[in-house]
């Protein structure tokens, strides 16, 4: 359910590189040409363009974009041009190195681990090591306080089975164990962490459903009853990203555009990272949740090349 639209006949990487080079030359930059090329190519095609551009002109496409552009448009199109594992590795590093590391900053780690495929998570960890000379786990341990550290290290270290495999008896048993941990207000219990970080997503969704059926409220509601701390908030994010990632990203987009000012970083991250995954589902959930059109809200809260680029990724 990706929103990205590709041309029926895709030009060669050489043709695209030449068109990008032309957009950079002369008086000013032809931003529309950049959007027309990069905004209508998938991850593999963008990777080939970047490699070809480097071979043809002996310069990094990312570096050239950085020098030619500015502001939110520059940040968004560079984020889009990165290979997806490198993109998420850089987002994770920025979150871990931020002076303030609240739930808003750390939620990107939850998105990587709970709203991505196991193979993508492995690729992100490899990219992280190559880029920053340390592992993602090391930097979480060095930069995140307990008890969030324990949950996040477990999440990034796991490799979930990615096929449909559900055991109803296991789901009932683990729903019961989660309920016991909530009653005892021990949300950092080893079993809670182990269950949420290692079980496959289909099994966990069955466990969440069993919890609701057995105890008359959702697992999220149970966790909320334990308090309003960072661990409770992080666990709620984990559950939402596992159970319905499209609802999570709809909420990220909504939160980024309501209130005073726009959180362009969050808005760009949500649209850029999901354009090739499930952005059409995100749009559908956005309307169901907020009774307003996502495209109209994004258009009303952005402007210029930045708006045009986001709308291109949204398929408009």
């Amino acid at each position: 359910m990706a929103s990205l639209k590709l041309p029926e006949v895709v030009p060669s990487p050489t043709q695209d590189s030449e068109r990008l080079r032309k957009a950079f030359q002369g008086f000013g930059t032809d931003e529309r040409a950049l959007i027309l090329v990069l905004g209508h190519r998938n991850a593999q095609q963008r990777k080939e363009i970047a490699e070809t551009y480097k071979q043809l002109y002996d310069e990094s496409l990312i570096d050239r974009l950085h020098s030619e552009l500015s502001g939110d448009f520059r940040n968004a199109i560079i984020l889009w041009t990165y290979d997806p594992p490198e993109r998420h590795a850089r987002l994770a590093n920025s979150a871990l190195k931020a002076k303030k590391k609240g739930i808003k900053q750390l939620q990107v780690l939850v998105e990587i681990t709970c709203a991505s495929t196991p193979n993508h998570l492995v690729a992100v960890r490899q990219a992280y090591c190559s880029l920053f000379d340390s592992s993602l786990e090391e930097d979480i341990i060095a930069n995140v306080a307990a008890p969030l550290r324990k949950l996040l290290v477990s999440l990034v270290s796991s490799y979930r089975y990615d096929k449909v495999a559900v055991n109803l008896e296991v789901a009932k048993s683990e729903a019961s164990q989660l309920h016991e941990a909530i009653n005892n207000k021990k949300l950092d219990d080893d079993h809670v962490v182990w269950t949420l970080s290692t079980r496959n997503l289909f099994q966990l969704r069955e466990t969440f459903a069993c919890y609701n059926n057995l105890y008359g409220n959702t697992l999220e509601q149970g966790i909320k009853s334990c308090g309003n701390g960072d661990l409770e908030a992080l666990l709620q994010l984990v559950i939402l990203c596992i159970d319905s990632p499209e609802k999570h990203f709809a909420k990220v987009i909504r939160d980024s555009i309501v209130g005073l000012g726009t959180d362009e970083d969050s808005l760009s991250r949500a649209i850029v990272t999901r354009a090739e995954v499930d952005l059409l589902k995100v749009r559908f959930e956005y309307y169901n949740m907020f009774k307003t059109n996502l495209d109209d809200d994004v258009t009303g809260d952005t402007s210029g090349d930045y708006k045009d680029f986001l709308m291109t990724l949204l398929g408009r």
Side-chain angles (χ1 to χ4, degrees):
M1 297 293 287
S3 61
L4 178 66
K5 290 186 177 179
L6 304 180
E8 290 185 11
V9 179
V10 179
S12 71
T14 298
Q15 290 172 312
D16 280 338
S17 296
E18 290 170 348
R19 190 171 183 186
L20 292 174
R21 182 71 168 183
K22 183 178 179 181
F24 295 138
Q25 294 176 328
F27 184 73
T29 304
D30 185 352
E31 289 87 355
R32 179 168 175 76
L34 301 182
I35 294 172
L36 285 173
V37 174
L38 296 173
H40 293 283
R41 303 292 184 272
N42 64 31
Q44 181 59 38
Q45 290 161 352
R46 297 193 305 275
K47 183 176 182 179
E48 291 172 358
I49 291 169
E51 292 170 349
T52 303
Y53 188 92
K54 175 68 173 177
Q55 293 169 0
L56 290 174
Y57 306 114
D58 195 28
E59 69 173 359
S60 162
L61 176 58
I62 295 290
D63 290 347
R64 189 61 188 263
L65 289 168
H66 193 274
S67 66
E68 292 282 339
L69 306 174
S70 62
D72 299 315
F73 174 53
R74 176 179 68 184
N75 296 338
I77 202 165
I78 287 177
L79 194 65
W80 173 250
T81 305
Y82 281 130
D83 197 37
E86 179 178 354
R87 174 202 300 152
H88 262 139
R90 290 184 181 276
L91 286 169
N93 184 259
S94 294
L96 292 171
K97 300 303 181 182
K99 290 184 179 180
K100 180 183 178 182
K101 285 180 279 293
I103 298 304
K104 184 176 180 179
Q105 289 73 35
L106 296 177
Q107 69 178 342
V108 66
L109 297 170
V110 177
E111 293 167 4
I112 295 167
T113 57
C114 300
S116 303
T117 67
N119 288 337
H120 179 72
L121 174 57
V122 170
V124 172
R125 292 169 60 191
Q126 291 171 336
Y128 196 98
C129 288
S130 298
L131 289 167
F132 304 113
D133 294 325
S134 62
S135 71
L136 187 50
E137 294 89 336
E138 285 177 297
D139 281 356
I140 290 172
I141 291 170
N143 291 285
V144 180
L148 304 186
R149 176 199 306 147
K150 176 180 178 180
L151 176 59
L152 289 173
V153 168
S154 186
L155 286 170
V156 303
S157 302
S158 71
Y159 185 85
R160 303 179 193 271
Y161 183 66
D162 65 346
K163 302 294 191 298
V164 179
V166 175
N167 185 310
L168 183 57
E169 294 306 313
V170 170
K172 290 178 180 178
S173 173
E174 293 187 339
S176 175
Q177 290 170 325
L178 290 170
H179 186 255
E180 182 180 356
I182 287 170
N183 280 346
N184 294 327
K185 298 189 183 299
K186 292 184 177 180
L187 298 182
D188 62 342
D189 179 79
D190 286 347
H191 187 81
V192 174
V193 173
W194 177 84
T195 299
L196 293 177
S197 60
T198 62
R199 289 297 189 193
N200 80 73
L201 302 184
F202 302 97
Q203 180 67 44
L204 283 171
R205 288 165 188 160
E206 185 64 38
T207 298
F208 300 162
C210 284
Y211 187 98
N212 195 1
N213 291 334
L214 288 170
Y215 305 110
N217 63 341
T218 67
L219 182 55
E220 282 184 276
Q221 291 170 328
I223 291 170
K224 284 181 183 178
S225 70
C226 293
N228 298 310
D230 283 347
L231 180 58
E232 287 84 357
L234 190 69
L235 283 167
Q236 289 172 49
L237 272 178
V238 168
I239 293 164
L240 184 57
C241 279
I242 289 171
D243 200 33
S244 182
E246 54 272 18
K247 289 183 180 178
H248 165 75
F249 285 101
K251 187 174 185 302
V252 170
I253 293 173
R254 182 67 173 178
D255 290 345
S256 73
I257 59 180
V258 296
L260 184 64
T262 304
D263 179 358
E264 289 87 359
D265 289 343
S266 295
L267 178 60
S268 297
R269 187 187 80 249
I271 292 177
V272 164
T273 60
R274 306 312 285 190
E276 295 183 87
V277 182
D278 59 358
L279 202 47
L280 291 181
K281 288 184 178 180
V282 173
R283 180 190 279 124
F284 178 79
E285 287 298 340
Y286 188 95
Y287 183 81
N288 281 346
M289 294 168 70
F290 307 113
K291 305 308 176 188
T292 182
N293 185 278
L294 184 153
D295 293 8
D296 291 344
D297 286 356
V298 172
T299 300
D301 228 55
T302 56
S303 61
D305 297 319
Y306 178 56
K307 178 190 73 176
D308 293 343
F309 180 61
L310 293 185
M311 298 314 296
T312 296
L313 297 188
L314 282 163
R316 283 278 291 270

